[in-house]
Each structure stands twice: as structure tokens, then as C-alpha cells.
Amino acid sequence: MNALPRISCVILCHNYGRYLDRAITSCLEQEPGRYVLHEIVVIDDGSTDETEEVCARYEGRIRVLRRDSRGFGQTLTDAFRLSSGDWVAPLDADDWFHPTKLRICAEAVTADRLFIEHWEYVVDAGGHQVLAEPHPGGNTSTLFVRREAALTLLPVTNEIFFHALREAGHGYALHVPLVHYRLHPLSMTDRHNRGVSQLYRAEVSTALARRLRTMAAAPPSWTTRRDLHRMSRHFHALAAGHLVEAQIQLGHRRTCVRPLTTMLIDTACSRGSLTPWVRALSSTVTGRPQAPVSNDQERRR
């Protein structure tokens, strides 16, 4: 009989002490299943709020790693380097897991899966649902990653780096909301200023494309040299797509020709679907961004 997967829940916290209690509790109150809750780790990235006091209330039930602030990328990297379970379930401290998160993710574990993702409930600062329907995931708290494979991708700057495992054919998507994703004014992702989020994603995708190309010199066990080159092209195409979207949001349609050309070439080289490129082209022609623009953005236009 195969051993039950050992799971490390790792909470990433920087001045989110006001939300941390709920995050920790959501890990402690997971439904039992065919898994072992190996550890709950809180990485306190230089918080100056009540984070330390909140952690103290759970002494003996969680492990706390406290240090000077090093930023999100290093904290996410440390979530995998400093944990010791077979699988890592990262959790931003302002989010919280649904009670069935670990049980359902553990049920989806197979020998060839290295990356499992799921949907999310989107809530506001007070924890009240803001979208009528669950939303597809993709952010840190919606991931469940095989630690051994993740280590080969470190260091990372963003959770997008782990999407390489999915692109390599080792991913699995659960269309079930298993986390409450909180939107609030201090959220790390800037969703209020035009183009900012897209430019950041373009930067991360470009960095990942370069990393994969470098890894081709000595491929990890979960992929091949040829596939790493293909994936590098894929993420370079994604970066170009994000850049197109950013320029459209900023009203700079004339600057989209080069990234559109890059996106087309890299999509063809990676044998990807042309649908995203067609959408980007259509968006460029019409001047309408693909991502919705909030009322606040519209008023500032």
C-alpha cells in the first residue's frame, strides 16, 4: 500500500496579522482524509503588526519562522525550501482554506501528478463573498505542489514558476473552490492601476522563460531538454500577451505590433493554441482590453 501523502501547510505573512488567525485555524480544522497533516508553518516576513502575538497563541501546534523582510519571492521560495512534507499547500495569510482542501487535493494525488490547482471563492476585506460564482484559481493559495519537483524550480519570484509543472504535463485541475481569496486595499496585486498587474506578469513570465531555457542544460527528472525549450517559448508568448494587454489598458495600441509578432512566433514554436493570440489581436484592433476595467479605473481614465 502506498504511504499517505504528507502535507505541509505553509502560511506566508507580512503584516497580515489581522487575518492570520483565520488562516491558521483553517489549516488546523481540515477534514480528515487519506493524508497526513505533516506540519503547519508560518513564515513571518518581517511583520511589524500583531503577527507575532497571533502566532504565540498557537505555540506547540505550528512552527514559526521569523526573519527580516525579504519580499514575496523569497518567502515563497522558503515555503518549499524550509518545509519537509511530500506536498506543499502554500497559503497567503489574508486567505483561508475551505475545510475540505487537503482531503480533496490528497484524493487527486497520483504518481505522475506534481501540480494540482483548484478554484476559489473571492471575498472582500470582511470575508464576504463578492462574486456570485466561484472563480478559477491560479494564485498562491489555490496551489498544491509536489515539493521535490518544486525544489528544481527554485528560487522563484512568483507562483507562476510552478505552472511549468502543469505545462510539462504533470498538472491536474480541480474545478472546485477550496480557498477563500481575499481582495482588500492592501492586497499585493495591484488591480486598480491600469497595466500594472499585466506588466508584472509579463516580467515574471519572461523570467520563467529564461529559467527554463537555462535548465535545459541539465533537465530535472520530470521533463526533457526538448520540452524545456518548448515551455520556454510558451511562457515567452504569455509574457508578450501580458505586455499587449498592458499597453491596451494604458491606451498605447501602436506599441503592440512587436509583442504581437513575438507572441505569434513563440506560440507557433511552442505548438500552442493560436486562440490567445487571436484574442490579443482583436483586442488591439478594437482598443478594448480583455481584462475588465473597474469603475474606479474608468473614472480615472
Side-chain angles (χ1 to χ4, degrees):
M1 181 180 294
N2 293 331
L4 298 179
R6 300 176 308 145
I7 301 172
S8 295
C9 292
V10 187
I11 302 172
L12 290 62
C13 186
H14 175 70
N15 286 336
Y16 280 165
R18 60 197 177 282
Y19 302 128
L20 182 57
D21 184 81
R22 192 164 197 178
I24 295 174
T25 301
S26 76
C27 296
L28 289 169
E29 297 181 349
Q30 286 292 300
E31 290 184 3
R34 294 192 57 76
Y35 68 90
V36 175
L37 179 52
H38 179 64
E39 60 184 347
I40 298 173
V41 182
V42 176
I43 302 181
D44 178 1
D45 187 46
S47 297
T48 57
D49 62 358
E50 65 268 37
T51 293
E52 185 173 357
E53 289 76 13
V54 174
C55 289
R57 297 202 293 267
Y58 295 92
E59 185 176 359
R61 291 188 285 173
I62 66 173
R63 179 159 62 100
V64 182
L65 303 173
R66 186 171 294 110
R67 80 296 179 81
D68 293 337
S69 181
R70 300 177 189 174
F72 175 74
Q74 185 61 55
T75 304
L76 184 58
T77 295
D78 288 344
F80 289 84
R81 279 185 175 160
L82 304 178
S83 58
S84 57
D86 305 315
W87 290 80
V88 176
L91 175 63
D92 287 327
D94 51 343
D95 303 335
W96 74 94
F97 288 150
H98 189 274
T100 62
K101 156 92 174 189
L102 300 188
R103 175 178 63 79
I104 292 178
C105 285
E107 289 171 354
V109 169
T110 63
D112 62 333
R113 289 176 184 164
L114 305 175
F115 176 93
I116 296 171
E117 58 189 324
H118 55 75
W119 286 30
E120 64 194 3
Y121 295 107
V122 180
V123 301
D124 61 17
H128 306 291
Q129 198 163 322
V130 297
L131 295 180
E133 300 295 331
H135 184 266
N139 63 73
T140 308
S141 301
T142 65
L143 305 186
F144 188 74
V145 188
R146 180 77 180 184
R147 180 174 176 271
E148 184 180 11
L151 291 175
T152 65
L153 291 162
L154 302 184
V156 302
T157 59
N158 182 276
E159 65 273 10
I160 291 173
F161 272 64
F162 301 121
H163 293 188
L165 300 173
R166 176 185 64 198
E167 185 62 22
H170 299 293
Y172 184 73
L174 292 163
H175 294 182
V176 181
L178 297 176
V179 73
H180 294 79
Y181 174 65
R182 198 189 304 258
L183 291 177
H184 55 89
L186 297 180
S187 293
M188 187 186 74
T189 303
D190 186 341
R191 299 175 186 273
H192 301 288
N193 295 301
R194 289 175 172 271
V196 173
S197 177
Q198 289 72 28
L199 288 172
Y200 171 67
R201 290 178 178 275
E203 179 183 340
V204 172
S205 297
T206 298
L208 175 55
R210 290 171 179 163
R211 173 75 59 75
L212 294 171
R213 189 166 60 248
T214 300
M215 288 171 61
S221 60
W222 50 268
T223 189
T224 64
R225 179 177 290 104
R226 181 176 181 179
D227 215 26
L228 283 165
H229 283 296
R230 178 191 64 79
M231 288 190 290
S232 178
R233 289 280 199 167
H234 166 75
F235 285 102
H236 202 246
L238 285 183
H242 289 310
L243 187 57
V244 170
E245 176 69 8
Q247 297 307 320
I248 294 172
Q249 287 193 15
L250 292 168
H252 302 156
R253 280 197 292 166
R254 293 182 180 178
T255 66
C256 291
V257 174
R258 174 175 284 184
L260 272 173
T261 302
T262 298
M263 188 181 182
L264 178 60
I265 294 171
D266 284 321
T267 297
C269 290
S270 66
R271 304 188 300 279
S273 169
L274 285 175
T275 300
W277 180 81
V278 171
R279 289 174 179 166
L281 177 62
S282 176
S283 188
T284 301
V285 171
T286 63
R288 295 182 178 277
Q290 296 181 60
V293 178
S294 70
N295 291 334
D296 288 343
Q297 288 176 309
E298 210 43 73
R299 284 194 290 270
R300 285 197 295 268
R301 193 171 179 177

